[in-house]
Amino acid sequence: MPGKIIMGGFSIGNIEDVPKRVIDAIDYSDIVAVEWKHAFDYYFDQINKKPKNIIEYNGITTNYVETTKFLVEEAKNGKTILCLVDGGMPQISDPG
């Protein structure tokens, strides 16, 4: 059975504004793909969460194409993938 890919954004500024659904998804996701691991290590500490498996994707330290292929394959193989960014939702629409 195929898995799924969930897109989630962390709040700009106040960690308490992160949606509960995003925080809950951290617990049941097989892979949490984050834009910047060092930033999310801090965020996860703030909300007392320890994701099972964290990978970084940002186009600088990783290859977007290869990472995206990997995440899609993992979802096809039944895994739940949570893709997180900080500073809103630039992975959907970045006005910059």
Side-chain angles (χ1 to χ4, degrees):
M1 181 167 93
K4 59 184 168 181
I5 298 176
I6 303 165
M7 308 303 269
F10 262 58
S11 175
I12 300 172
N14 190 339
I15 197 80
E16 293 176 3
D17 292 335
V18 176
K20 182 179 180 333
R21 279 204 219 155
V22 171
I23 292 172
D24 290 346
I26 295 168
D27 292 330
Y28 64 80
S29 295
D30 298 297
I31 299 171
V32 177
V34 299
E35 192 175 20
W36 299 104
K37 189 175 178 320
H38 67 278
F40 276 93
D41 285 342
Y42 171 78
Y43 297 144
F44 294 143
D45 284 345
Q46 294 299 303
I47 59 173
N48 199 29
K49 295 288 180 180
K50 298 281 186 204
K52 296 175 198 169
N53 184 10
I54 303 171
I55 65 167
E56 186 174 65
Y57 74 100
N58 55 42
I60 294 172
T61 62
T62 60
N63 180 303
Y64 272 132
V65 173
E66 294 305 315
T67 304
T68 300
K69 285 180 185 178
F70 169 76
L71 294 174
V72 169
E73 276 305 307
E74 291 295 291
K76 285 181 180 178
N77 291 326
K79 302 265 174 93
T80 297
I81 314 299
L82 175 61
C83 295
L84 294 176
V85 295
D86 59 348
M89 294 294 286
Q91 85 245 51
I92 303 297
S93 176
D94 190 350

